[in-house]
Amino acid sequence: MVYERIASIAAYVLANKILFYNVLRTEHKELQSIQTEGIKGSSDLNLILKKHFQKVLEINYDTIYKIEIFDDLRVPDNSLEQMIKFLEDFDKYDFKGVNYEILGQVYEDLIPGAEKHEMGQYFTPPSTVDLINSFCIQDPDNVILDLGCGAGTFLVRAYARLKYLKRQSKSHKELLEQLWGVDKASFPAHLAQINLVL
């Protein structure tokens, strides 16, 4: 059971990185499509992904692409065909309009229902989040802590609320320093980081 859990977290984090890589390609033309021809095993795939993710690290985004324990885990050879199809499918979509709502829906659809129920993980609609935040965030200097941040909807909408309340112009970095999130599952917390970058 523990190994299955580690494997699923590793798969979710890898899917996040690949999804975000494709979102970044819309803004950074130097990032190339992930090519799959010539991949004969998980070692080949691992090298190709590391090469592409390294290009992202040269731009920035180290909070999302920093080396983690999961980066050393390889896609099993018996899953290689599905992984190649997953990578090839990304070229069919336009990622220019991807935002936190879409990533939240990806999260909702990707995590099995039983696992979401067991861990209390659900995507809260933005209208509900905005209502709660309007009561809780009254000052542009408020510091926000979300102890079950999930994919980051409350944090992203809190960012928007702080921007709305600002008295003087605050930089993106200054606003991010007022937002703190924690989640017991690494996959949604990773998505929260991606959503805040977006």
Side-chain angles (χ1 to χ4, degrees):
M1 182 66 177
V2 172
Y3 294 117
E4 286 177 19
R5 183 80 183 120
I6 290 170
S8 67
I9 290 170
Y12 296 150
V13 168
L14 180 59
N16 275 351
K17 289 179 177 181
I18 293 168
L19 175 63
F20 190 60
Y21 179 86
N22 283 282
V23 171
L24 287 175
R25 285 184 58 222
T26 65
E27 297 294 322
H28 298 278
K29 302 303 179 200
E30 68 272 26
L31 297 177
Q32 303 297 313
S33 173
I34 299 174
Q35 299 300 311
T36 57
E37 52 274 347
I39 296 176
K40 295 189 174 37
S42 61
S43 296
D44 297 334
L45 175 63
N46 213 35
L47 285 173
I48 286 170
L49 291 175
K50 279 187 176 184
K51 181 184 84 170
H52 283 80
F53 296 163
Q54 184 58 43
K55 291 285 184 195
V56 175
L57 284 168
E58 290 169 13
I59 299 168
N60 197 339
Y61 306 107
D62 56 324
T63 57
I64 296 164
Y65 288 94
K66 66 184 175 197
I67 302 301
E68 297 179 6
I69 187 170
F70 299 124
D71 291 342
D72 294 329
L73 299 176
R74 293 186 178 164
V75 173
D77 284 328
N78 62 357
S79 299
L80 194 59
E81 188 178 323
Q82 292 90 345
M83 187 63 182
I84 289 171
K85 181 169 178 4
F86 176 72
L87 289 167
E88 289 171 347
D89 282 347
F90 276 104
D91 284 336
K92 299 175 187 173
Y93 301 101
D94 180 7
F95 287 90
K96 286 184 181 142
V98 172
N99 62 29
Y100 71 93
E101 291 181 57
I102 293 169
L103 288 180
Q105 192 58 54
V106 167
Y107 166 64
E108 277 284 298
D109 293 343
L110 194 56
I111 306 294
E115 186 175 323
K116 281 190 293 198
H117 180 73
E118 179 186 317
M119 299 185 82
Q121 299 173 331
Y122 295 95
F123 183 72
T124 308
S127 57
T128 304
V129 172
D130 286 342
L131 177 65
I132 293 168
N133 279 348
S134 69
F135 281 100
C136 298
I137 305 169
Q138 297 291 317
D139 185 284
D141 293 322
N142 283 152
V143 174
I144 291 84
L145 171 62
D146 185 350
L147 292 172
C149 69
T153 304
F154 273 90
L155 295 172
V156 170
R157 299 307 300 153
Y159 180 97
R161 175 81 177 155
L162 290 171
K163 257 184 126 165
Y164 170 77
L165 293 172
K166 73 179 188 235
R167 293 189 188 106
Q168 75 281 352
S169 182
K170 286 191 176 184
S171 71
H172 176 67
K173 186 175 185 230
E174 289 171 319
L175 287 170
L176 288 179
E177 287 171 356
Q178 292 175 241
L179 303 172
W180 296 86
V182 178
D183 202 281
K184 66 181 180 177
S186 60
F187 172 63
H190 199 252
L191 260 183
Q193 289 177 330
I194 290 172
N195 282 326
L196 286 168
V197 168
L198 289 173

